[in-house]
Amino acid sequence: MSVRTIGTKSMLSLVTITCFACDARASEASASNATVVPAEITGEDYTIQVSLNIDDESANTVAITIVPKSPLVLKTTTPLAIALECTEGCTVEKPKLDAEDIVDAKTSAKTVRSPLKVRRGRHRLDGELSFFLCTDEICRRQTDDLTYAFDVN
């Protein structure tokens, strides 16, 4: 299987990545040859990184990382909501993610992951993100939408 990113889009920016993938047959897939297709959306106070890890049609993940710009922090005690949808042939196993899904709460960048089932073909992952970035004095709510289009061959 190979994956090619067609593009990513948020209300703030458009990023296109062409053929950032490696070939891997489903029967030969392992962590060492998994395909990771990253994309990045930059906001005024943060960066959102989206990546797919495609091993085969069933053992895949989507990861979303929110990287606040210093001196802002994303606290795990403030609301975090990420809603994900995928086109036909692509299923997000956990479509609603929150602060309990953060992989490592101690890091400044916060990552959440969801298993993903993907068949061959062209797909689009849509997401709505809502989170708070804080200073010592105040927290401000941030919202963003993303569209992440990709091919699985």
Side-chain angles (χ1 to χ4, degrees), residues 3-5 17 20-21 35-39 50-54 148 150:
V3 178
R4 184 174 65 88
T5 301
I17 301 170
F20 197 77
T35 302
V36 178
V37 183
V50 182
S51 65
L52 295 178
N53 184 334
I54 305 293
Y148 186 82
F150 60 98

Side-chain angles (χ1 to χ4, degrees), residues 31-116:
S32 63
N33 69 358
T35 302
V36 178
V37 183
E40 197 169 89
I41 300 164
T42 303
E44 183 179 328
D45 295 326
Y46 58 88
T47 299
I48 298 171
Q49 300 167 342
V50 182
S51 65
L52 295 178
N53 184 334
I54 305 293
D55 282 335
D56 61 32
E57 289 186 9
S58 61
N60 310 302
T61 57
V62 57
I64 298 174
T65 302
I66 301 170
V67 184
K69 294 182 181 172
S70 186
L72 299 170
V73 294
L74 194 156
K75 296 182 179 178
T76 57
T77 56
T78 57
L80 167 71
I82 299 174
L84 300 173
E85 280 186 1
C86 208
T87 54
E88 188 176 333
C90 174
T91 305
V92 180
E93 294 292 306
K94 187 166 185 188
K96 298 205 182 292
L97 302 165
D98 58 31
E100 291 182 6
D101 298 303
I102 294 173
V103 175
D104 185 356
K106 295 177 185 171
T107 62
S108 61
K110 304 295 192 263
T111 300
V112 295
R113 288 193 178 100
S114 177
L116 187 72

